[in-house]
Amino acid sequence: MTIPFVDLASQQAEIADEVRTGLDEVFATTAFVGGPAVARFEAAYAAYSQVTHCVGVANGTDALELALRAAGVGPGGEVVLPANTFVATAEAVSRIGAVPVPVDVDPVHLLVDPDAVRAAVGPRTEAIVPVHLFGQVAPVEDVAKTAADAGVPMVEDAAQAQGARRFGRVAGSFGLAAGTSFYPGKNLGAAGDAGAVTTSDADVARTVRLLAAHGSERKYVHEVVGMNSRLDTVQAVVLEAKLRRLERWNDARRTAAARYSELLADVEGVVAPRTREGNEDVWHLYVVQVDERDRVLAGLTAAGIGAGIHYPTPVHLTEAYADLGLGRGAFPVAEAAADRILSLPMHPHLSAAQQERVVEVLRRAVR
């Protein structure tokens, strides 16, 4: 039995008729850039995210960069973020000319450590970016207090947490703004690259929209130097159809996560993930920790199990960020986790039989 890490084909089969109808509308009206489909999705995703504004953009990295720029981050400023995140979090900072300041994470949930954030804030800090990693909301209350005390904005990286909640509030609604990604494998994934900025601040929304359209609200009138970052109309059609199913799909992920935890309860050598009190995770990834991770991963792969590593190298240890001067030992929790984490297959269409097979193979591999 071959078990994929994600199953995009099953998702596409569910939405195929709606997408076909939506695309027929786009081609009939020739609304290829912007248009009703983009506007509908932006309004629907804003409501879903419990904010007043959603600005669709080309991808998640652009979304985070634009959110930071709209929040006032500029060249030379410092942005505090966790060391164990996809490089795009730091990349968005660097593209502004600002400086990423990585910090360590907590050892249980691998979310940014609020005490480390507090210690990293200094006179050049211009923003703090908590990352809602693996589909769980970061400790936003503590981080927001630190941001407020420092007089800087909190900008969320919500790329892995569409629909995740903390005490009833949705990821992407806690900070001044949030950037999210609709890369195909995300809980809410497009049929290509796409992203969005969510905010309840009208000025931030206007600035993001302005920057994303060459700094222009009116044709050939350019107020600032911007960029070209638009949510593609075709992707909006796909996202609108998937958004209608997102709650049901997230519930299916929760069911699968609970089943994994039950199946793994007696498997020695495997540390299962835990949900932080107050969180309602959406399980973008189901990440266990094991010794000899690379050997275990090889065993799963050989048996046809699609597993992965998210992420094998903390930001400060990548070649791209060697100039930060932070070698091994700077962030011991993130570094130790990077050697042990293993992402098991996780998607809304994962069956009980598939999960039983995954755990059976994993049990053998860790021996």
Side-chain angles (χ1 to χ4, degrees):
M1 179 189 295
T2 299
I3 301 173
F5 184 67
V6 296
D7 185 359
L8 299 181
S10 293
Q11 285 191 15
Q12 180 58 30
E14 278 197 47
I15 65 170
D17 290 342
E18 286 179 42
V19 169
R20 191 173 296 111
T21 299
L23 293 180
D24 286 345
E25 176 192 332
V26 170
F27 280 88
T29 60
T30 65
F32 298 127
V33 177
V38 172
R40 283 196 309 267
F41 173 72
E42 287 181 336
Y45 193 68
Y48 179 79
S49 300
Q50 300 175 349
V51 297
T52 53
H53 303 279
C54 167
V55 182
V57 298
N59 56 69
T61 310
D62 284 1
L64 196 53
E65 176 186 346
L66 287 162
L68 288 167
R69 289 179 66 180
V73 176
E78 294 183 346
V79 178
V80 180
L81 48 84
N84 66 329
T85 183
F86 183 54
V87 74
T89 312
E91 222 170 25
V93 175
S94 299
R95 282 170 30 169
I96 299 171
V99 180
V101 178
V103 298
D104 216 342
V105 296
D106 82 82
V108 177
H109 307 101
L110 305 183
L111 295 167
V112 68
D113 181 348
D115 292 334
V117 170
R118 195 174 302 110
V121 170
R124 293 175 57 198
T125 302
E126 293 189 357
I128 301 173
V129 178
V131 177
H132 304 315
L133 198 67
F134 306 152
Q136 52 187 335
V137 179
V140 286
E141 300 92 347
D142 292 336
V143 175
K145 184 179 185 309
T146 297
D149 290 345
V152 301
M154 182 175 77
V155 175
E156 302 164 69
D157 182 337
Q160 297 187 10
Q162 291 103 4
R165 291 175 173 82
R166 179 156 181 77
F167 296 112
R169 284 188 61 180
V170 178
S173 70
F174 293 96
L176 176 64
T180 195
S181 166
F182 302 127
Y183 186 77
K186 298 293 196 269
N187 290 45
L188 180 61
D193 276 318
V197 175
T198 55
T199 182
S200 287
D201 188 299
D203 290 335
V204 168
R206 177 192 178 272
T207 301
V208 169
R209 206 172 286 280
L210 182 73
L211 290 169
H214 300 289
S216 173
E217 284 186 318
R218 291 181 296 141
K219 194 171 185 179
Y220 302 134
V221 178
H222 305 278
E223 300 176 35
V224 295
V225 176
M227 58 197 288
N228 179 17
S229 185
R230 294 180 289 225
L231 174 61
D232 184 84
T233 307
V234 169
Q235 304 306 338
V237 170
V238 174
L239 290 167
E240 188 179 12
K242 287 191 175 182
L243 182 57
R244 297 188 188 102
R245 296 162 172 79
L246 182 57
E247 280 298 291
R248 176 164 57 82
W249 286 351
N250 282 345
D251 283 342
R253 286 175 180 268
R254 293 185 189 101
T255 298
R259 187 182 297 122
Y260 264 141
S261 296
E262 183 178 342
L263 291 168
L264 290 168
D266 67 343
V267 179
E268 291 187 17
V270 177
V271 179
R274 289 163 52 184
T275 296
R276 190 166 177 260
E277 184 181 359
N279 273 3
E280 189 176 354
D281 297 351
V282 292
W283 300 100
H284 171 59
L285 297 168
Y286 189 90
V287 180
V288 300
Q289 295 189 48
V290 296
D291 291 331
E292 299 183 71
R293 189 268 318 286
D294 292 345
R295 179 187 62 78
V296 174
L297 175 59
L300 291 170
T301 302
I305 308 298
I309 307 169
H310 301 83
Y311 298 96
T313 307
V315 168
H316 67 290
L317 297 182
T318 63
E319 185 178 352
Y321 284 102
D323 61 337
L324 294 178
L326 298 166
R328 186 167 289 278
F331 308 117
V333 178
E335 292 166 19
D339 294 335
R340 291 173 45 82
I341 52 176
L342 178 65
S343 302
L344 302 182
M346 171 56 74
H347 53 81
H349 299 88
L350 192 64
S351 71
Q354 287 176 318
Q355 290 187 268
E356 289 166 3
R357 171 63 176 163
V358 169
V359 173
E360 174 192 343
V361 174
L362 180 61
R363 187 190 300 270
R364 292 202 305 265
V366 295
R367 287 175 184 164

